[in-house]
């Protein structure tokens, strides 16, 4: 490889790192854009008129989760907390118009992985957790069990009375419900992870 080719590769790597080190999104149409940048000194954030710097060593907790909404089924979230109790939330989607919430999957994934890398290199002792809080996850499982029991009863009644259209509707609804809610519960199971093994199912 010639010197010019090596220089071109180096520039390409620097550009890629720069892209991973910055991220912005709009959490709502009326809210200000939220901007984040990974610098040598730490995580710089700007939300409207407010801004701050969190050194990587002061980030006490990172929680990754899967948070779909009606307008965007592939939405992910990173909740950060510093040693002083302050919190930041970073979403993988951004509002564009009244009818459009755009995914920013590649940019979000690159930024979150780069954040973990820099925290690791800074010797961070942060708590890394994935999914919902255990109590919330357990409550969701109980609710699903109750709904499943109710639907099973309705299905049995529909079959017993010969209401086949009703039975087919219940089967179809159960399949759709199981696919959507089941995926949400599975991805959001409570767990801990390490800097080198960020859960792939909690990233787009």
């Amino acid at each position: 490889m010639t010197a010019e080719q090596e220089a071109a590769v180096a520039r390409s790597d620097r550009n890629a790192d720069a892209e991973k080190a910055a991220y912005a999104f709009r959490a709502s149409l009326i809210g200000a854009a939220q901007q984040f940048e990974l610098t040598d000194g730490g995580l710089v954030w700007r939300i409207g008129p407010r801004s701050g710097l969190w050194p990587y060593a002061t980030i006490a907790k990172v929680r990754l989760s899967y948070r779909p909404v009606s307008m965007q089924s592939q939405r992910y979230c990173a909740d950060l907390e510093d040693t002083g109790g302050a919190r930041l939330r970073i979403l993988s989607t951004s509002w564009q118009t009244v009818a459009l919430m755009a995914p920013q999957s590649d940019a979000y994934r690159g930024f979150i992985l780069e954040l973990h890398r820099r925290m690791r290199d800074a010797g961070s002792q942060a708590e890394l957790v994935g999914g919902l809080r255990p109590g919330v996850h357990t409550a969701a499982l109980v609710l699903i069990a109750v709904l499943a029991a109710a639907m099973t009863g309705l299905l049995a009644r529909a079959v017993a009375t010969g209401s086949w259209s009703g039975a087919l509707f219940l089967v179809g609804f159960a399949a759709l419900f199981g696919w959507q809610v089941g995926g949400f519960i599975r991805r959001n199971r409570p767990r801990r992870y390490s800097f080198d093994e960020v859960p792939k199912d909690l990233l787009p």
Side-chain angles (χ1 to χ4, degrees):
M1 181 180 295
T2 66
E4 290 183 356
Q5 290 175 325
E6 291 179 351
V9 170
R11 286 195 298 271
S12 177
D13 291 341
R14 286 195 297 270
N15 290 337
D17 290 341
E19 290 180 359
K20 294 178 183 177
Y23 184 76
F25 74 97
R26 189 179 294 275
S28 66
L29 281 177
I30 61 175
Q34 302 187 27
Q35 300 173 309
F36 301 88
E37 184 179 357
L38 303 175
T39 68
D40 293 340
L43 171 65
V44 175
W45 57 270
R46 301 179 185 85
I47 304 175
R50 299 182 297 121
S51 63
L53 168 65
W54 285 11
Y56 299 117
T58 67
I59 299 177
K61 186 175 184 178
V62 178
R63 179 184 293 277
L64 300 180
S65 59
Y66 170 58
R67 297 298 179 94
V69 290
S70 58
M71 293 183 66
Q72 183 52 250
S73 62
Q74 293 300 311
R75 190 180 76 145
Y76 298 81
C77 175
D79 289 298
L80 279 57
E81 184 175 335
D82 74 354
T83 52
R87 297 179 179 180
L88 293 171
R89 169 165 286 188
I90 305 174
L91 300 175
S92 69
T93 57
S94 182
W95 280 95
Q96 302 292 325
T97 67
V98 175
L100 177 62
M101 180 186 289
Q104 301 184 142
S105 301
D106 292 341
Y108 174 85
R109 180 173 57 253
F111 182 83
I112 294 301
L113 291 175
E114 181 67 8
L115 171 63
H116 281 74
R117 186 188 70 79
R118 295 194 182 212
M119 288 175 64
R120 181 200 62 197
D121 292 348
S124 171
Q125 299 297 315
E127 180 184 7
L128 305 177
V129 294
L132 300 173
R133 291 178 174 82
V136 175
H137 191 263
T138 299
L141 289 176
V142 171
L143 178 60
I144 289 174
V146 171
L147 289 175
M151 291 182 65
T152 300
L154 290 173
L155 179 60
R157 182 180 179 83
V159 172
T161 58
S163 179
W164 302 114
S165 60
L168 287 174
F169 171 79
L170 287 171
V171 170
F173 180 81
L176 179 62
F177 181 82
W179 176 63
Q180 292 185 333
V181 178
F184 174 82
I185 294 298
R186 186 188 71 256
R187 290 188 187 211
N188 280 319
R189 67 187 185 280
R191 72 194 100 159
R192 294 181 182 275
Y193 65 91
S194 68
F195 285 112
D196 295 321
E197 296 182 352
V198 181
K200 293 183 179 179
D201 58 348
L202 295 180
L203 292 173

